[in-house]
Every structure is written in structure tokens, then in C-alpha cells.
């Protein structure tokens, strides 16, 4: 499967990331246009008071010969009053559009980040299991949470700042060239240097911020893994060691940020000197022209004020570029995740044919994991409807792989899997997985109540159905003993329950679904003898009229299976009933003797004979 390249090694530049973001956000086009329009109008209003100050100076100096007098306001008093009214409306307009652009940008940021996080999560849910086996959960959480939040922070303020800087350059530049092309040329001379500096630092900072985002993912992964394994850490008294390992990852994040900050911080001093050159040119040359009478005093005031309005905001460009780079580094990670291809696609809309009998067949199935090259080779099995099949073999022999192929977590490279004669790649995933109940060795309970977890596969189940499923799984007795019964919280991953209790709830969850096919993947390997006996009693009750596929290391749990299949190295090496396999005296019989103590008895008898 193809996975996206690391942004720190093969990322496009930030403007390509921006284009990708705009392409993704095309459904928000009207909101973006509205927010951008309000930002532009607000900035135009923001620039206007500086122009009015120059006009007011012109009124005071020239009075009846001022620029305003040409508009029909003859007396200086009328001109000042007119300017005061105009100033009021300009400030009111600036305030109104500032309110509007803040509302629009912030709401856009909230809506876009919420939708992007949901889209990313929904896409991740559809990705192949191979992707999750190659990526840490911490990296994925960092992408869906921290990276999305980084983009939100840019949209909250950075986007508006970039737009308004552009508007300032264009609008002020137009005023400058109307008043004095010479001074406009001098004032604008530093701007190419400023723009070049921005792009220069952007190119330098881009890879550094991509590395920062990678380090964030590493840190999140370490924290996630350590908190999930806190019991193991405590049992091995490894708190100090894990704290040191976390410190190492945290320091790597700090160092990555330090490198990025070192580059971005150098931007402001360089730009300040360029700004100073432009301001001094306007201040001195404009002053000389005004003294000689070649430039109106009011116009000189406008130019001086607008020079600051033009150039000083550019000092904030460094911070905006910094925010932009962080956001684009995050955007690349988010969009790269959204671009990961889905191999196991739910293309079919056809459900499994009803009534579903539950016959399962593997026909010459082969599959290899890309990372380890282990899997299954040319496996052919048939489980008649209502029968029980047991899969036995060493760890890594391919037993669980067959279950993953049945659930279409993966598609076989050769052969086909069928249910009731229908190829499973020709039916909808909802129909396929709805027909199969899975109880795995690694039980996962969701944070919530006992009731929530049992009803997870059937959220609208009546309480009587939930209780019946719990009784069948022999879980009802301990549930009644809990402080709040079905409403007792189980804690994160079911931490408040014992291993046996979690396993019984997992079985009850699968039974409430009432699937025609029940898969038990080492369901009794990590439970005590009492729980195992309880689960076995449950299985004998629920196995009637239901196809059951069991993976087991404890052979005592599968002696009643209709067929037992021994898998070794991804191939079927033995098959038959328990009695038949014992008579064959092969791998199954040898394992049976080890587990039942028969081998120990034979050795003891042999030693006694030799003595």
C-alpha cells in the first residue's frame, strides 16, 4: 500500500499546500469571499483617517484655497465640520467591518476545522488495517487534533493579516503615485527587499516547521503509548526510564522549534532596516519638496502618515509568515492523510442474500503482509452452515489472517472467500460485517456504561435483549453485583473490570448482534478456568444453528468442534475431528499430549522402565 511521503523529506512548498487547501475548501467559497471582502473594506476604511489628517492640514494651511474648498465647502469651518462627519462615518465603517470579518473568519475557522477533523477521521476509519499497523496512533491523533488546530489558529487571524497587508500595499501605493511618483518610488524601494525576505525566510522555515509537526506526532505517540501501558510501567518500576525517554522526545521537539524560531526571528530586524530606509526617504525628500513649494503641505502630511501605515505593518509579516508556515506544514499532513488510498473499497451495494445460512468457504486463498511477508498460501476450507470450525497452530501460522480476510480487513492476493456461495468482495461491507460477530483475545471496551458496550452493535436494543445476551454470555451475575448494574461505567478500555468480565461483555456484545457467523479469536486464552468454563457453557448453547469459527491455543476448548484444522507456515497441514487427529498422531496429537500432561506421564514411565 502506498503511504504519503514525510513532509520533512518530500513536501511541496507552502503555496502548493495553500492551493491544495483552497481546493479542499471549495465548498466554503462563499464564506471565504465574504470574509475576504470584509477584510478588504475594513482595511480601506483603516487607511482613510491618515488621508483625512493630510486633508485637514491642507484646510488649516490653505483654508479657502484647500482641496476641500473645491468641493463646494467655502469656509474653513464648514470644511472642518465636513471632515469631522466624514471621519465619524469612516471610523464607524471600520468598526462594523472589523466586527464582520472577525465573525466571518472565526466562524469559517471553526467550521472548516470541525469538518476537516471529521473528514480526516472518517477517511481514517475506511483505511486498510495495513495502514494502522504501519502508523502510530499518536501520529494520527496529532494530525487530527493538533494539526487541525494549527490551521484553525491561522484562519482565526493570519489569513486576515495577509489579505490586509496586500490591500495596504495596493491602496497606499495608488495614493502615493497620485500625489508624488518620485516619493512613491523611494517609499516602495524597500518593498521588493521585504517581499524577497519573506519568501527567503519562508523557504528556510518551511522544512523546519514540517520537522516540528513530525516531532509533535512523535511526542503524542510516546505519551499515548505510555499512558496506555501505565500498568506495565509501574510493574517494572520503569517510571524514571520512561520519563527520560519522554524527555528525550520532548527535547527533540523543543530543538526543532528552536531551529524554526531562530530563522523566523531573524526576519524582523532585517525588515525593520528596510522599512527605516523607506520612511527616511519619504520624510526627507518629501520635506525638501514641501519646503520648496513643489509639494502641498497637506499632501506631505498624507505621505508621512501613509508611509508608516504602509511599511510598519510589514514588521508583523514575520509573525504572519511564521503562522502561515506552521499552518501549511499542518495542512500538508492533514491532506496527505486524506490522500492515502483505500485498497479495500466498499464498491458493492448488494447485501448478502437472505435468509443467511452462514456457510463459509476459503477457495485457494493466499495473502502476504507487506512488512513481514508472512500470511497464508493456497488455503481451501469449507465450513457448512451451523458447524464449528477450530483453527489451531503456532503464533504467526496464519490463523488470524484467515479471520481478517473473512472480515475483509484485507483482500486476498489470490483465491476467494465466500459466504453462502457469494464472493464477499461482491457484497457491501455493512452486510458482510453485520453477519459476523467477532470476539477477540484483545477485548476493547469503549468508555461508557456496561449497557452501552453490550448494545454497541445494536444501539436500539431493548433492555430485555441486553439482559438476555448477558445471561447467555454468563455475564449477568457479575453485572447485577456491580454498583449500578447495567449503568455502571466501565472506564477507559474497560479498566474498571477484570479480564474475565471484559471477555464476557465482549461475548454478550457479539451475541446481541445475533450474527449467523460467530468468530472467536483466542477468546479464552487470557481468562481464568472459571471464566473459561462459563464461556464454554455459553458456546455450547449459542453454537446451535450458528456457524462458529474458533482460534484456540487451549485445545480443551475445541474438542467438540465439527472440524479442527492445523495450520503451519500459512498452510493446512492437518484436518479432522478431535478423535481423528489423535489417531493420526501428528502435530495436533503431540500438542494435545503436551497440554494434557500425557507427554509428561510418558516420559516418567520411560524413565521408570530404564531404571
Amino acid at each position: 500500500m502506498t503511504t504519503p511521503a514525510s513532509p520533512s523529506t518530500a513536501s511541496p512548498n507552502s503555496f502548493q499546500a495553500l492551493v491544495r487547501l483552497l481546493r479542499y475548501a471549495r465548498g466554503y467559497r462563499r464564506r471565504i469571499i465574504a470574509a475576504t471582502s470584509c477584510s478588504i473594506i475594513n482595511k480601506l476604511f483603516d487607511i482613510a483617517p491618515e488621508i483625512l489628517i493630510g486633508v485637514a492640514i491642507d484646510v488649516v494651511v490653505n483654508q479657502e484655497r484647500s482641496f476641500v474648498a473645491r468641493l463646494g465647502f467655502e469656509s474653513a469651518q464648514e470644511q472642518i465640520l465636513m471632515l469631522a462627519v466624514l471621519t465619524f462615518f469612516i471610523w464607524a465603517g471600520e468598526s462594523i467591518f472589523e466586527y464582520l470579518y472577525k465573525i466571518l473568519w472565526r466562524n469559517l475557522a471553526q467550521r472548516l476545522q470541525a469538518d476537516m477533523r471529521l473528514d480526516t477521521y472518517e477517511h481514517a476509519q475506511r483505511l486498510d488495517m495495513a495502514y494502522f499497523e504501519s502508523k502510530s496512533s499518536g501520529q494520527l491523533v496529532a494530525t487530527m487534533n493538533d494539526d487541525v488546530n494549527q490551521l484553525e489558529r491561522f484562519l482565526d487571524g493570519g489569513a486576515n493579516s495577509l489579505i490586509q497587508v496586500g490591500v495596504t500595499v495596493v491602496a497606499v501605493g495608488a495614493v502615493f503615485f497620485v500625489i508624488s511618483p518620485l516619493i512613491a518610488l523611494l517609499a516602495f524601494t524597500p518593498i521588493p527587499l521585504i517581499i524577497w525576505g519573506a519568501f527567503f525566510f519562508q523557504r528556510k522555515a518551511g522544512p523546519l516547521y514540517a520537522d516540528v509537526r513530525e516531532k509533535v506526532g512523535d511526542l503524542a505517540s510516546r505519551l499515548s503509548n505510555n499512558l496506555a501501558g501505565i500498568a506495565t510501567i509501574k510493574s517494572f518500576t520503569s517510571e524514571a526510564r520512561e520519563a527520560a525517554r519522554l524527555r528525550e522526545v520532548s527535547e527533540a521537539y523543543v530543538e526543532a522549534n528552536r531551529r524554526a524560531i531562530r530563522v523566523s526571528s531573524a526576519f524582523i530586524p532585517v525588515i525593520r532596516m528596510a522599512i527605516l530606509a523607506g520612511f527616511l526617504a519619504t520624510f526627507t525628500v518629501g520635506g525638501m519638496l514641501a519646503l520648496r513649494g513643489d509639494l502641498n503641505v497637506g499632501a506631505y502630511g498624507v505621505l508621512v502618515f501613509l508611509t508608516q501605515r504602509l511599511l510598519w505593518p510589514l514588521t508583523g509579516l514575520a509573525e504572519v509568515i511564521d503562522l502561515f508556515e506552521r499552518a501549511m506544514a499542518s495542512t500538508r499532513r492533514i491532506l496527505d492523510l486524506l490522500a492515502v488510498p483505500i485498497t479495500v473499497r466498499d464498491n458493492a451495494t448488494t447485501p448478502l442474500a437472505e435468509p443467511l445460512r452462514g456457510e463459509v468457504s476459503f477457495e485457494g486463498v493466499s495473502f502476504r503482509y507487506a512488512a513481514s511477508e508472512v500470511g497464508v498460501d493456497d488455503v481451501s476450507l469449507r465450513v457448512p452452515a451451523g458447524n464449528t470450525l477450530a483453527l489451531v497452530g503456532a503464533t504467526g501460522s496464519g490463523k488470524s489472517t484467515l479471520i481478517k480476510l473473512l472480515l475483509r480487513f484485507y483482500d486476498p492476493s489470490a483465491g476467494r472467500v465466500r459466504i453462502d456461495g457469494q464472493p464477499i468482495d461482491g457484497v457491501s461491507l455493512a452486510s458482510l460485517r453485520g453477519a459476523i460477530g467477532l470476539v477477540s483475545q484483545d477485548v476493547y471496551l469503549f468508555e461508557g456504561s456496561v449497557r452501552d458496550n453490550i448494545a454497541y452493535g445494536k444501539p436500539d436494543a431493548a433492555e430485555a435483549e441486553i439482559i438476555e445476551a448477558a445471561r447467555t454470555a454468563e455475564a449477568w451475575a457479575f453485572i447485577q453485583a456491580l454498583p449500578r448494574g447495567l449503568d455502571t461505567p466501565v472506564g477507559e478500555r474497560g479498566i474498571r473490570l477484570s479480564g474475565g468480565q471484559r471477555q464476557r461483555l465482549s461475548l454478550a456484545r457479539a451475541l446481541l448482534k445475533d450474527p449467523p457467523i460467530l468468530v472467536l479469536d483466542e477468546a479464552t486464552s487470557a481468562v481464568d478456568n472459571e471464566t473459561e468454563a462459563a464461556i464454554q457453557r455459553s458456546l455450547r448453547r449459542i453454537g446451535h444453528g450458528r456457524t462458529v469459527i474458533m482460534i484456540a491455543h487451549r485445545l480443551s476448548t475445541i474438542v467438540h468442534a465439527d472440524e479442527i484444522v492445523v495450520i503451519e507456515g500459512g498452510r493446512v497441514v492437518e484436518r479432522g475431528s478431535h478423535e481423528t487427529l489423535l489417531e493420526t498422531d501428528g502435530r495436533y496429537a503431540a500438542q494435545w499430549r503436551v497440554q494434557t500432561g500425557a507427554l509428561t506421564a510418558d516420559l516418567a514411565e520411560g524413565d521408570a522402565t530404564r531404571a
Side-chain angles (χ1 to χ4, degrees):
M1 187 190 73
T2 303
T3 56
S6 168
S8 60
T9 58
S11 64
N13 66 42
S14 296
F15 291 100
Q16 287 175 317
L18 179 60
V19 170
R20 292 176 65 192
L21 176 62
L22 291 174
R23 193 178 297 127
Y24 169 83
R26 58 184 176 271
Y28 306 85
R29 189 170 299 161
R30 290 184 178 179
R31 300 186 192 187
I32 294 173
I33 292 173
T36 301
S37 300
C38 289
S39 293
I40 292 172
I41 296 171
N42 167 261
K43 179 49 64 176
L44 293 176
F45 276 124
D46 184 48
I47 293 170
E50 275 71 16
I51 298 175
L52 291 182
I53 291 173
V55 174
I57 293 173
D58 181 50
V59 168
V60 172
V61 173
N62 296 312
Q63 299 188 16
E64 286 79 7
R65 300 189 308 275
S66 70
F67 169 77
V68 178
R70 301 174 205 166
L71 302 178
F73 299 92
E74 296 181 358
S75 70
Q77 290 79 5
E78 288 178 343
Q79 296 174 33
I80 292 296
L81 288 174
M82 186 277 292
L83 290 177
V85 171
L86 189 58
T87 299
F88 171 81
F89 283 107
I90 286 173
W91 279 69
E94 180 187 358
S95 300
I96 291 170
F97 281 97
E98 181 176 2
Y99 170 78
L100 291 175
Y101 84 65
K102 285 183 176 180
I103 288 289
L104 290 169
W105 279 118
R106 290 176 180 177
N107 284 340
L108 173 65
Q110 292 299 316
R111 185 70 269 149
L112 184 60
Q113 64 93 13
D115 290 346
M116 182 171 272
R117 181 179 288 113
L118 184 59
D119 288 347
T120 307
Y121 174 73
E122 288 181 343
H123 180 76
Q125 284 191 128
R126 294 193 297 272
L127 290 175
D128 308 336
M129 291 300 295
Y131 181 83
F132 295 97
E133 292 168 359
S134 64
K135 293 287 182 180
S136 72
S137 58
Q139 286 281 357
L140 291 174
V141 170
T143 299
M144 296 181 200
N145 189 46
D146 195 69
D147 284 328
V148 171
N149 289 341
Q150 192 70 50
L151 177 60
E152 178 200 354
R153 283 191 284 273
F154 170 71
L155 292 175
D156 264 347
N160 171 72
S161 297
L162 278 178
I163 292 168
Q164 293 200 333
V165 166
V167 172
T168 299
V169 171
V170 173
V172 173
V175 174
F176 263 66
F177 277 99
V178 167
I179 295 176
S180 174
L182 173 61
I183 296 179
L185 184 63
L186 293 173
F188 273 70
T189 298
I191 289 183
L193 176 61
I194 295 171
I195 300 299
W196 174 85
F199 281 101
F200 173 79
F201 283 102
Q202 177 264 322
R203 286 195 300 272
K204 291 287 186 181
L208 297 177
Y209 280 121
D211 186 47
V212 168
R213 304 319 308 156
E214 287 295 304
K215 294 300 188 291
V216 168
D218 294 341
L219 186 58
S221 180
R222 172 63 60 188
L223 287 168
S224 176
N225 289 337
N226 282 15
L227 292 175
I230 191 67
T232 303
I233 292 172
K234 286 179 175 293
S235 68
F236 283 93
T237 62
S238 298
E239 291 91 342
R241 188 197 323 163
E242 290 303 328
R245 293 170 70 180
L246 180 63
R247 187 179 301 111
E248 181 180 345
V249 178
S250 181
E251 286 301 320
Y253 170 59
V254 171
E255 180 57 32
N257 255 312
R258 186 180 292 121
R259 288 193 295 269
I261 291 169
R262 189 182 301 124
V263 171
S264 63
S265 297
F267 181 67
I268 292 179
V270 173
I271 298 309
R272 277 185 180 273
M273 297 311 296
I275 289 170
L276 177 61
F279 179 76
L280 288 177
T282 304
F283 185 80
T284 55
V285 175
M288 295 298 179
L289 292 175
L291 288 173
R292 291 206 312 258
D294 295 336
L295 182 66
N296 183 286
V297 175
Y300 174 61
V302 170
L303 292 178
V304 171
F305 285 119
L306 284 183
T307 300
Q308 295 187 71
R309 176 63 69 183
L310 169 67
L311 296 177
W312 286 114
L314 294 177
T315 59
L317 194 60
E319 184 178 347
V320 176
I321 290 292
D322 183 80
L323 198 60
F324 175 75
E325 279 302 327
R326 290 177 182 268
M328 292 306 101
S330 294
T331 297
R332 284 193 292 271
R333 283 163 54 91
I334 296 166
L335 297 180
D336 283 347
L337 176 55
L338 285 170
V340 174
I342 300 170
T343 303
V344 180
R345 290 193 170 274
D346 188 9
N347 295 322
T349 57
T350 306
L352 286 166
E354 298 287 348
L356 193 61
R357 296 180 294 110
E359 178 184 277
V360 176
S361 58
F362 298 87
E363 301 174 352
V365 169
S366 296
F367 173 80
R368 291 282 177 182
Y369 296 100
S372 61
E373 288 297 319
V374 300
V376 293
D377 290 313
D378 195 26
V379 172
S380 294
L381 296 171
R382 178 177 173 274
V383 190
N387 279 22
T388 297
L389 171 72
L391 301 175
V392 178
T395 300
S397 60
K399 307 181 301 298
S400 294
T401 299
L402 291 174
I403 301 305
K404 292 176 182 177
L405 293 175
L406 175 61
L407 285 160
R408 272 204 83 200
F409 290 163
Y410 301 91
D411 281 332
S413 56
R416 302 198 89 166
V417 183
R418 298 176 185 270
I419 293 180
D420 288 352
Q422 290 182 264
I424 63 171
D425 57 356
V427 300
S428 67
L429 286 175
S431 172
L432 168 67
R433 293 171 184 170
I436 302 171
L438 174 65
V439 182
S440 64
Q441 174 184 1
D442 184 18
V443 176
Y444 190 94
L445 296 183
F446 295 89
E447 190 166 7
S449 66
V450 171
R451 182 195 309 275
D452 295 336
N453 276 278
I454 294 178
Y456 186 75
K458 190 178 180 181
D460 57 347
E463 181 159 333
E465 295 178 277
I466 295 173
I467 294 174
E468 180 59 29
R471 289 185 189 278
T472 306
E474 299 217 9
W476 184 239
F478 87 78
I479 291 174
Q480 285 182 302
L482 293 174
R484 294 167 57 187
L486 285 170
D487 296 315
T488 302
V490 302
E492 187 176 8
R493 295 180 65 92
I495 195 171
R496 297 179 184 175
L497 303 178
S498 69
Q501 290 172 333
R502 291 196 295 269
Q503 194 65 265
R504 294 190 211 188
L505 287 189
S506 177
L507 182 57
R509 179 168 62 190
L511 293 178
L512 181 61
K513 188 178 175 182
D514 194 24
I517 302 168
L518 182 64
V519 175
L520 304 169
D521 188 356
E522 300 283 2
T524 62
S525 64
V527 299
D528 55 43
N529 292 332
E530 179 184 353
T531 302
E532 181 185 359
I535 292 176
Q536 288 303 312
R537 289 194 298 271
S538 301
L539 292 178
R540 281 194 290 271
R541 287 197 300 271
I542 66 179
H544 296 293
R546 193 190 310 268
T547 303
V548 179
I549 300 177
M550 305 174 62
I551 296 176
H553 280 124
R554 292 187 184 180
L555 302 186
S556 58
T557 63
I558 61 169
V559 293
H560 300 296
D562 296 294
E563 183 176 31
I564 299 171
V565 173
V566 181
I567 299 178
E568 188 174 286
R571 294 182 176 274
V572 175
V573 294
E574 289 181 356
R575 60 196 308 168
S577 66
H578 173 70
E579 292 77 11
T580 302
L581 291 175
L582 289 182
E583 292 174 3
T584 304
D585 198 23
R587 293 177 176 83
Y588 178 84
Q591 190 174 349
W592 175 261
R593 287 195 295 270
V594 170
Q595 291 193 13
T596 59
L599 180 59
T600 304
D602 290 344
L603 291 174
E605 183 179 345
D607 290 342
T609 302
R610 285 193 296 272

